[in-house]
Amino acid sequence: MFDNIVFTANIVAPVFLIIAVGYFAKKRKIINEVFVDVTSKFVFQISLPVFIFLKISELDLSQALELNQIAYIYSGTTITYLLIWFGTIPFINNPKDKSSFIQGAFRGNYAIVGLALISNLFGKEALGKATLILAFLLPLYNVLAVIVLTIPLRKGKINYKTALFDILFNPLVLAVILALPFSFFKIKLPEMFITTGTYFADLALPLALVGIGGSLNIENLKRASTLAVSSSIIKIVVLPIILTFIAIFLGYRNDDLGIMFIVFACPTAIASFVMADVMGANSKLAGNIIMITTLGSVFTIAIGILLLKSFGLI
């Protein structure tokens, strides 16, 4: 049991220690809001797309593509998204609150926190498979987010042209689209491009985690609403338990099960705050959900990995 606790600590602690460094660096005024904003844009538009491009371009799709696993993740995400939405109907009347609540409860920070955890949990070998899942998950997250941030606020009037543009020209989605031909046709990039890209890719996860820490405002935790706490519990407790149990029942084990647990257990994505703010939802509620899930997932993910490891499932 002690070995499993140490194993779990070694997986989870590095990721959240980097987030803690970002938080305390901001408190000590080593970094500021401008640094967080600029680095977040840099990660989102340059280093993370490069990271995704390199990982997917190196994949052998015939070996890495597991359609059953991706279908389960799609089904689990979509069904729980709809259930959360229907569940809010009797309780949340304000459309701005409803949109932020639903987005916060379903949209995970898999691209940053998830990939970092999987790298620690299973090594770089599993990152290829994990990144390919990200390639499928990103468009789904964006489509569902646009829908839930549009229908309640605009009474069903969706600008399909704008929505499609936002989804297709998302830098992370573009990276996936550009990388797939290289993977499918096994096109080898020149070494100097790989080396240069690797430098940018290596910045992605640590810089993003520092940015998450720098964006946290613990003082707001005291003022977090019941809605923020409820959405957070759904995101990091209810969904991981239900969807991981079903995955176990369906026979998933080892790295497949571990990756799926991380997908469902990740804290809420920072992009949910940006989209809520831009599209007129309750951005304060969105920010509080991100903060609560990020702090709470330190414990929920650690407990989940510990239990899965103790029962020999991963």
Side-chain angles (χ1 to χ4, degrees):
M1 183 66 175
F2 179 75
D3 289 342
N4 288 335
I5 293 173
V6 172
F7 172 84
T8 304
N10 288 335
I11 300 304
V12 176
V15 173
F16 291 100
L17 282 174
I18 296 174
I19 293 175
V21 167
Y23 173 76
F24 287 110
K26 172 81 177 302
K27 292 287 284 185
R28 299 279 297 179
K29 302 189 187 309
I30 298 170
I31 63 174
N32 55 22
E33 291 287 350
V34 175
F35 174 89
V36 173
D37 290 343
V38 170
T39 53
S40 294
K41 289 177 182 176
F42 180 83
V43 168
F44 182 69
Q45 296 183 12
I46 298 177
S47 61
L48 194 54
V50 171
F51 173 87
I52 290 169
F53 176 86
L54 289 179
K55 289 298 175 186
I56 293 178
S57 66
E58 295 168 355
L59 282 178
D60 182 349
L61 290 179
S62 63
Q63 294 182 3
L65 189 59
E66 296 188 17
L67 291 178
N68 288 339
Q69 184 183 32
I70 292 168
Y72 176 72
I73 292 171
Y74 257 57
S75 301
T77 301
T78 306
I79 291 169
T80 52
Y81 166 84
L82 293 173
L83 289 174
I84 294 165
W85 195 328
F86 285 123
T88 63
I89 292 172
F91 304 106
I92 306 176
N93 296 320
N94 187 321
K96 293 184 178 183
D97 292 346
K98 186 189 294 284
S99 293
S100 292
F101 181 96
I102 297 166
Q103 188 186 204
F106 92 88
R107 187 174 189 174
N109 199 347
Y110 178 64
I112 297 171
V113 176
L115 292 183
L117 286 167
I118 289 165
S119 178
N120 288 348
L121 184 57
F122 298 113
K124 292 188 176 180
E125 298 78 15
L127 266 182
K129 183 189 293 185
T131 307
L132 189 59
I133 289 173
L134 176 65
F136 284 88
L137 198 54
L138 279 173
L140 179 65
Y141 275 165
N142 280 282
V143 168
L144 296 181
V146 168
I147 291 171
V148 81
L149 289 168
T150 303
I151 290 178
L153 296 171
R154 293 167 179 78
K155 297 180 181 179
K157 297 177 182 177
I158 301 176
N159 187 327
Y160 293 100
K161 185 177 179 181
T162 302
L164 184 63
F165 182 89
D166 289 341
I167 292 162
L168 290 179
F169 288 90
N170 180 304
L172 306 185
V173 174
L174 277 177
V176 172
I177 294 170
L178 292 173
L180 286 174
F182 286 86
S183 177
F184 186 79
F185 295 109
K186 297 181 172 58
I187 301 170
K188 182 71 174 175
L189 287 167
E191 193 61 37
M192 67 175 186
F193 288 119
I194 294 176
T195 303
T196 304
T198 301
Y199 288 143
F200 282 113
D202 287 346
L203 286 172
L205 298 181
L207 197 57
L209 293 172
V210 169
I212 291 173
S215 67
L216 290 178
N217 187 341
I218 305 299
E219 292 302 313
N220 285 342
L221 191 61
K222 299 173 185 176
R223 298 188 292 273
S225 65
T226 304
L227 288 180
V229 175
S230 301
S231 180
S232 301
I233 290 172
I234 292 170
K235 179 69 198 75
I236 61 174
V237 178
V238 177
L239 295 190
I241 289 174
I242 294 173
L243 293 172
T244 304
F245 265 117
I246 296 173
I248 293 169
F249 177 77
L250 292 174
Y252 289 100
R253 298 291 185 274
N254 302 320
D255 59 342
D256 284 340
L257 180 62
I259 289 171
M260 290 162 75
F261 167 71
I262 296 296
V263 167
F264 299 125
C266 278
T268 302
I270 293 177
S272 66
F273 171 82
V274 177
M275 290 191 69
D277 193 37
V278 169
M279 298 183 73
N282 187 337
S283 58
K284 182 179 178 182
L285 174 59
N288 283 339
I289 293 169
I290 292 167
M291 179 184 60
I292 295 168
T293 56
T294 300
L295 295 174
S297 63
V298 177
F299 305 100
T300 56
I301 291 175
I303 292 168
I305 293 173
L306 179 60
L307 290 172
L308 292 174
K309 181 70 176 174
S310 297
F311 285 104
L313 297 170
I314 60 172

